[in-house]
Amino acid sequence: MTEIIEAIKRSAIRIRKAINEEELGYAQSANSSGEQQLKLDVLSDTIIEEELARASSVKTIASEEKSDPVTINESGKYLVGYDPLDGSSLVDVNLSVGSIFGIYEGSFSGPNLVASAYVVYGPRTELVVATIKAERFRLEGEEFVFMQELALGDKGKLNAPGATQKYWYPHHKELVESLFAEGYRLRYSGGMVPDLHQILVKGGGLFSYPGTEDKPKGKLRKIFEVFPFANIYEKAGGYAIDESGRRLLELGCGDIHETTPCFFGSRYEIEKVKEYYEKA
Ligand code: F6P
């Protein structure tokens, strides 16, 4: 496990430099979700693949930018699913983006996730790793220095509602509005990593990416985005559920690019989600 975390750190340092210095613009390709790839998506994917290939415990990698998993070392123990540069369309407007990693044993599914991590490329570069606890580090020079253990409170003040409002189901709209009516403040950049990081660091709130009339299964991918963050929220004392109130980490996965509606937050807000969704 340590060598995988070290590979993630080396990748983060290289991707930070690429974001700062490399050319923006589109590559000549689309990813398997049909999204046009940026040159930075492709470069970040290559960097992570190169660094994970140096970790002998990694058997298979699956990237949001690749259509299928790739076995890199038959005798490795772990499978790593990653989103190399989540929210990459925000780079041109200079908002924060991130890399997300899920480490699995056996196969890619919620119950098989054993650890996860993400990197936020913001004004500073930070790394959060969740094995037993959720721990936050900051890049200083070439070193990631420990900052704090992340712990969510019982209730927060932030509301980060994703997806196209026009297609929200009525019960979802009521949920979001009820939180605003209680005084919650809107925080939504359109980057999953900084949006979820903000709630974690500020100690509570709700991030939701629901199923909608146009996309009943939501947008966020289980293996690369949802399961890794579900683990981090739970390790920080929070909750991560789907639209039926089930723990996200109990969900299986068919195709590696499968998506699911998802809700991440502290106890109070997740209880609210259950209340409004049970009424639906
Ligand atoms: O998966 C890509 C992504 O950019 C996430 O980082 C983010 O949470 C989401 O899409 C934003 O989607 P929308 O603009 O539909 O709310």
Side-chain angles (χ1 to χ4, degrees):
M1 186 63 71
T2 311
E3 64 169 358
I4 299 178
I5 305 299
E6 289 307 312
I8 290 173
K9 289 179 182 170
R10 291 193 302 273
S11 305
I13 293 169
R14 291 178 61 190
I15 293 172
R16 168 89 263 181
K17 194 167 160 26
I19 293 169
N20 288 354
E21 297 172 11
E22 293 293 327
E23 191 196 327
L24 295 174
Y26 288 104
Q28 298 302 325
S29 49
N31 67 17
S32 47
S33 306
E35 294 162 350
Q36 209 182 353
Q37 288 174 307
L38 293 169
K39 287 181 189 162
L40 267 180
D41 289 320
V42 178
L43 180 58
S44 305
D45 188 30
T46 306
I47 289 173
I48 293 171
E49 182 171 359
E50 281 172 8
E51 294 299 344
L52 288 176
R54 290 171 60 191
S56 59
S57 60
V58 178
K59 179 177 183 180
T60 303
I61 57 170
S63 164
E64 198 208 289
E65 302 299 335
K66 298 186 202 303
S67 43
D68 298 302
V70 181
T71 295
I72 54 175
N73 173 19
E74 275 301 343
S75 58
K77 179 176 177 190
Y78 297 109
L79 293 80
V80 182
Y82 60 92
D83 185 349
L85 201 60
D86 187 76
S88 55
S89 64
L90 299 172
V91 174
D92 65 346
V93 291
N94 207 14
L95 285 177
S96 299
V97 292
S99 303
I100 313 170
F101 303 85
I103 303 165
Y104 301 83
E105 226 181 297
S107 67
F108 288 110
S109 74
N112 286 347
L113 185 131
V114 291
S116 54
Y118 66 83
V119 181
V120 198
Y121 310 99
R124 296 173 171 192
T125 305
E126 293 190 7
L127 166 71
V128 171
V129 180
T131 47
I132 297 160
K133 299 181 273 189
E135 296 183 308
R136 179 184 182 199
F137 301 83
R138 179 158 71 90
L139 184 62
E140 289 179 20
E142 300 276 295
E143 290 292 315
F144 280 92
V145 179
F146 177 74
M147 293 175 77
Q148 67 176 136
E149 188 183 327
L150 291 169
L152 285 164
D154 187 56
K155 183 179 189 304
K157 295 177 183 157
L158 307 181
N159 190 11
T164 310
Q165 298 193 17
K166 182 180 160 189
Y167 299 117
W168 284 354
Y169 295 122
H171 57 280
H172 184 75
K173 194 168 173 350
E174 280 172 32
L175 162 72
V176 173
E177 283 172 356
S178 77
L179 290 174
F180 286 133
E182 285 184 38
Y184 279 75
R185 276 171 285 130
L186 174 66
R187 291 290 182 273
Y188 195 77
S189 73
M192 182 185 193
V193 176
D195 287 338
L196 281 165
H197 186 61
Q198 178 163 213
I199 290 170
L200 276 169
V201 171
K202 301 288 185 194
L206 180 69
F207 174 96
S208 49
Y209 205 106
T212 50
E213 280 162 13
D214 61 330
K215 287 185 187 163
K217 289 278 165 209
K219 175 185 185 188
L220 300 179
R221 292 97 174 157
K222 291 176 172 177
I223 302 298
F224 317 115
E225 297 168 309
V226 173
F227 294 155
F229 266 109
N231 177 51
I232 289 162
Y233 265 61
E234 288 193 359
K235 294 287 156 56
Y239 297 82
I241 61 168
D242 71 2
E243 79 282 25
S244 65
R246 203 163 164 208
R247 278 178 70 228
L248 292 165
L249 287 174
E250 287 174 7
L251 303 181
C253 193
D255 181 80
I256 58 158
H257 294 277
E258 217 167 86
T259 61
T260 179
C262 51
F263 304 84
F264 303 87
S266 24
R267 189 203 58 83
Y268 177 81
E269 296 84 6
I270 293 295
E271 285 306 317
K272 281 261 162 189
V273 174
K274 289 183 181 167
E275 187 189 318
Y276 279 82
Y277 272 72
E278 271 164 20
K279 282 195 286 190

